[in-house]
Amino acid sequence: MDSTNTDNPLLKLRHVQQIFTSGQRRFTAVQDVNLTVFEGEFVALLGPSGCGKSTLLRIITGLQKPSEGRVLYRDQLLRGVNPHATIVFQTFALFPWLTVLENVELALKARNVPPDIRTPRSLDLIDRVGLDGFETAYPRELSGGMRQKVGFARAMAVEPELLCLDEPFSALDVLSAESLRGELLELWTSGSIPTKAILMVSHNIEEAVFMADRIVVMDKEPGRILSELKVELTHPRQRKSEEFQKVVDEVYAMLAGQTEPELIELGTAPGEPGRTRVLPQVTITDLAGLLEHLSELPNDRADIYRLTEELGIDSNHLFNLTEAAEILGFATVAKGDILLTPLGETFAEASILARKEIFATRIRRLPLVRWLTNMLTHSENRSLAWDVIQTALELEFPPEEAGKQLDTLINWGRYAELISYNDDREQVYLETQSQPQKV
Ligand code: ADP
Ligand code: MG
């Protein structure tokens, strides 16, 4: 559905706050959240673990009453469970002794919908999520992706006006997740389900840009909304397109706390007027180690001087690491402390594959990386000899520094799968799937 009806707010959260107490400790899980979801909107909630996303969904669907604030559904104060909303969880609990059809029919049965209505409706949904032929199968006979589809069919069988999804694809393998995303979007954009709005919690930035009309970015401690962004791309969205990548970059910047013009001076590319910033020489393993360490500390924050002891590294190495984390938007440094950004937190928690994606998106912004990928794009076979690049870099840096910069570029670029390097031939290649970025 491309027509968001801003005259028709479906859901309003006003100054919603959730405080949990354990023993003496009072803990603000959600602080002063104001959010409106309109009819026709697909909204994605992004943010690090523990920022209160699931808590918000429970509050929205009425499974939990907030400590403070109001939830309005169609301008009516919500009391108790919202009968017009449904949640699909990461892993959907199916009853093992019931067939696919019986599992889907269950919620309708509970609402006293008679068999002559509920059975055809359930069969139709099973068909539409792509499970035609599996009506009489039992959950144990299905793959994880298929079980999640049954979960979707069950959630949609009750024809919720507001469909809430809590990381619905994150337990699935890459292919099942992608096909199920496509099927949900197809149902949604074709208007063939009566659902009026979708609110999806996600950990996956590209997924949010692929699906949502609006992305709301949250941060934790306390859990709160940081900023939001409208995604104006038409469906079906092309992940590889420049416009798509631009929105992805904007979301990354929001998560990295850089909605203001770049806080960090990245410098210019070689050959352009101005200075090229030297990349700190660090390996991804060490950088990831630092980010993981910070993510385990209270408030994701540490005193830099203490870190040398905690991590057992010298201060020069640590300085390079904090600089790298800062350039990439994974951390901010102020008053002797280093503090993870939500993006740094997301990286620390992400799978290997997601880490590579995040890293690739971040280094593509660096003038040196842009310079190298552009040169490779315009070279024969999209490849250049190490020597040639080294010589080009020597116009910018002293020879020894040029060599170090190239080593770092290759190391980072390989990890991000933007470039590859053949040690025997001493030749650098542009990875075929990598996107040359427009300057
Ligand atoms: P998210 O879904 O964004 O990962 P949650 O909403 O699950 O975050 O949790 C937000 C914070 O509230 C976390 O720190 C979590 O430990 C805490 N929390 C959630 N539910 C409870 C509860 N019932 N009692 C105490 N703390 C809770
Ligand atoms: Mg959660």
Side-chain angles (χ1 to χ4, degrees):
M1 254 174 255
D2 48 314
S3 53
T4 303
N5 191 342
T6 47
D7 298 330
N8 274 333
L10 199 61
L11 172 81
K12 283 187 200 159
L13 299 183
R14 289 294 172 263
H15 305 293
V16 164
Q17 181 138 320
Q18 182 65 52
I19 291 168
F20 291 117
T21 42
S22 67
Q24 300 284 44
R25 219 170 74 90
R26 271 166 65 84
F27 165 75
T28 309
V30 172
Q31 188 182 59
D32 196 27
V33 164
N34 292 291
L35 178 71
T36 305
V37 176
F38 296 97
E39 265 192 32
E41 246 193 329
F42 189 139
V43 177
L45 280 181
L46 270 180
S49 263
C51 72
K53 303 180 296 290
S54 298
T55 303
L56 270 185
L57 288 193
R58 282 198 302 275
I59 289 172
I60 285 164
T61 49
L63 294 173
Q64 184 174 323
K65 193 179 178 312
S67 318
E68 301 273 346
R70 292 178 300 154
V71 180
L72 298 163
Y73 193 81
R74 291 199 184 284
D75 282 324
Q76 300 288 311
L77 195 62
L78 184 66
R79 292 173 208 281
V81 174
N82 185 342
H84 307 290
T86 302
I87 305 192
V88 176
F89 296 100
Q90 187 174 355
T91 46
F92 211 87
L94 299 178
F95 293 101
W97 59 86
L98 297 181
T99 63
V100 166
L101 177 60
E102 288 162 345
N103 264 294
V104 174
E105 276 189 280
L106 201 64
L108 293 173
K109 216 169 161 180
R111 294 180 187 212
N112 296 318
V113 179
D116 59 329
I117 295 180
R118 72 172 189 246
T119 307
R121 194 197 284 176
S122 302
L123 286 171
D124 178 47
L125 274 166
I126 290 169
D127 192 9
R128 278 198 265 168
V129 296
L131 285 178
D132 194 16
F134 288 90
E135 296 81 0
T136 56
Y138 286 90
R140 63 169 183 276
E141 301 170 59
L142 307 178
S143 68
M146 291 161 87
R147 275 183 229 150
Q148 194 69 348
K149 286 181 182 182
V150 180
F152 270 101
R154 186 204 276 175
M156 280 177 314
V158 298
E159 309 199 324
E161 281 189 331
L162 177 62
L163 181 62
C164 296
L165 308 170
D166 198 347
E167 306 201 24
F169 309 110
S170 59
L172 304 179
D173 62 277
V174 177
L175 286 180
S176 311
E178 194 57 11
S179 89
L180 198 47
R181 277 183 203 115
E183 273 149 20
L184 175 65
L185 269 180
E186 172 61 30
L187 287 175
W188 167 246
T189 53
S190 67
S192 60
I193 44 172
T195 297
K196 295 278 194 285
I198 300 181
L199 186 58
M200 177 179 77
V201 165
S202 172
H203 234 97
N204 181 326
I205 297 154
E206 309 233 342
E207 168 181 291
V209 176
F210 186 63
M211 302 183 80
D213 302 311
R214 184 153 59 103
I215 296 174
V216 175
V217 175
M218 297 181 65
D219 196 5
K220 65 177 191 179
E221 282 163 8
R224 63 197 189 279
I225 292 178
L226 276 185
S227 50
E228 60 168 64
L229 176 81
K230 266 192 177 289
V231 184
E232 313 264 14
L233 308 169
T234 50
H235 290 287
R237 294 177 180 166
Q238 308 299 323
R239 286 177 188 266
K240 292 279 170 198
S241 75
E242 228 170 88
E243 307 82 68
F244 188 92
Q245 287 299 324
K246 192 168 159 272
V247 180
V248 170
D249 283 348
E250 279 175 51
V251 178
Y252 274 96
M254 281 160 69
L255 278 163
Q258 289 163 358
T259 35
E260 300 303 317
E262 292 282 349
L263 293 174
I264 302 153
E265 183 54 65
L266 292 177
T268 56
E272 292 172 6
R275 272 175 66 90
T276 306
R277 182 167 180 156
V278 174
L279 298 179
Q281 256 203 305
V282 301
T283 63
I284 314 301
T285 315
D286 289 353
L287 179 65
L290 170 70
L291 301 176
E292 281 163 17
H293 180 74
L294 290 173
S295 74
E296 281 156 18
L297 299 176
N299 300 322
D300 299 337
R301 174 188 279 273
D303 184 324
I304 292 178
Y305 299 100
R306 292 239 183 93
L307 274 180
T308 50
E309 274 173 41
E310 287 175 23
L311 295 171
I313 55 178
D314 69 49
S315 56
N316 192 37
H317 187 195
L318 181 64
F319 176 76
N320 284 335
L321 284 174
T322 55
E323 194 188 353
E326 211 182 8
I327 288 179
L328 296 168
F330 292 152
T332 53
V333 176
K335 295 186 192 139
D337 276 6
I338 178 166
L339 169 69
L340 274 191
T341 60
L343 182 63
E345 176 80 27
T346 305
F347 182 91
E349 286 162 4
S351 65
I352 291 174
L353 219 79
R355 279 186 177 185
K356 281 176 183 281
E357 271 178 25
I358 293 174
F359 194 76
T361 311
R362 295 312 285 173
I363 66 168
R364 276 200 299 251
R365 297 156 55 254
L366 301 176
L368 262 180
V369 172
R370 222 171 52 205
W371 170 81
L372 179 61
T373 52
N374 275 338
M375 267 210 318
L376 290 169
T377 308
H378 297 113
S379 306
E380 202 178 324
N381 302 325
R382 292 156 58 99
S383 140
L384 286 167
W386 196 94
D387 282 351
V388 174
I389 306 171
Q390 157 88 11
T391 308
L393 280 172
E394 281 177 16
L395 299 173
E396 197 78 17
F397 306 109
E400 198 194 338
E401 186 57 53
K404 283 184 187 166
Q405 288 297 300
L406 185 47
D407 283 343
T408 303
L409 272 172
I410 291 173
N411 179 314
W412 290 14
R414 275 175 131 176
Y415 175 78
E417 296 180 10
L418 291 178
I419 59 167
S420 55
Y421 179 63
N422 183 314
D423 283 295
D424 295 336
R425 294 196 203 136
E426 301 193 339
Q427 191 81 13
V428 179
Y429 303 84
L430 190 68
E431 287 276 357
T432 37
Q433 76 274 26
S434 74
Q435 284 274 115
Q437 291 272 298
K438 280 266 161 60
V439 181

